[in-house]
Amino acid sequence: MSASPPAAPSAAERFLSVRRPFEVGYWLVTCLLSAVGNSATAWMDVQRAGLDYARWEVVAWETSSAVALLALVPAVAWFTARWPVHLDNWVRRLPLYALASVAWSLSHVGLMVGMRALVYRLHGLEYAFGNDYLYEYLKDARTFLGIVVLMHGYRILVRRLQGEASLLSAPDDAPPLEPVERPERFLVRKLGREFLVAAADIEWVQAAGNYANLHVRNKVYPLRSTLSDLQARLDPARFVRVHRSHLVNLSAIASIEPLDSGDARIHLHDGTVVPCSRRYREPLRALAG
């Protein structure tokens, strides 16, 4: 009797498989269109007002702004992932994000002015920025807010597509079926559906800001928890810390590759390679043995 063919990947799975190239491409195309579009409209304004600026100057202004924004996108992505905003913490996060908007603006202006000064110098001229910091900050603050909202909304969408895990809570009118402190299963919500994932099936866990990503059979389910809190709830005889941002299931380990630096690479049965810091290498070998 022949085995049934594997199910075709869903639209969500196809998107998740190209998620990183999509994200990089989105920002590249967005900044390119911004540079081209803003250069065209700014040149129209210069001509309409009869100002004495060369076309290359206008292009340098708008392109430098777009390139500076593109250079700062990874920093904003890291910041918003490290300190995400939720309904229960947005008031506490406001001062932090206000300070971040100032840092964003100063960085954006610094990069932008530096690139403009270089272009002007290549043309034998000096670039004068003036004292328009408040004006630039007001523009940059709006841009920063837009990027923050976009990144948070996008991450919510991604979590819905790949499924978000949560701990099972104890029922109100009966004792729990399993220890809440040492969960044997996790509840995963994905596109309106709910299913359970056994803790023993988790192959490895990676910290991602305020989330811990559970890797199960080539699927990733984010759990809103720190790695340390999750480690305290998982079976210590099965899950071991191997890195400041990684846990592994001992049963998923195929081999441990020592490195000259004292660190190691952990090869899992599915081909995944997980880093192991030197401080965890000997305890891991003892447990694995």
Side-chain angles (χ1 to χ4, degrees), residues 49-62:
L51 300 176
D52 187 21
Y53 291 115
R55 189 189 296 267
W56 66 263
E57 291 182 273
V58 176
V59 173
W61 302 340
E62 302 303 334

Side-chain angles (χ1 to χ4, degrees), residues 8-78:
S10 64
E13 290 172 333
R14 290 196 298 271
F15 170 76
L16 292 172
S17 67
V18 296
R19 174 187 170 188
R20 294 306 179 191
F22 168 82
E23 293 167 356
V24 173
Y26 170 82
W27 288 109
L28 288 173
V29 171
T30 297
C31 291
L32 175 62
L33 293 178
S34 174
V36 173
N38 290 342
S39 295
T41 55
W43 177 243
M44 293 177 191
D45 292 338
V46 166
Q47 288 184 309
R48 186 179 299 114
L51 300 176
D52 187 21
Y53 291 115
R55 189 189 296 267
W56 66 263
E57 291 182 273
V58 176
V59 173
W61 302 340
E62 302 303 334
T63 301
S64 62
S65 178
V67 172
L69 186 151
L70 182 62
L72 292 172
V73 164
V76 182
W78 171 84

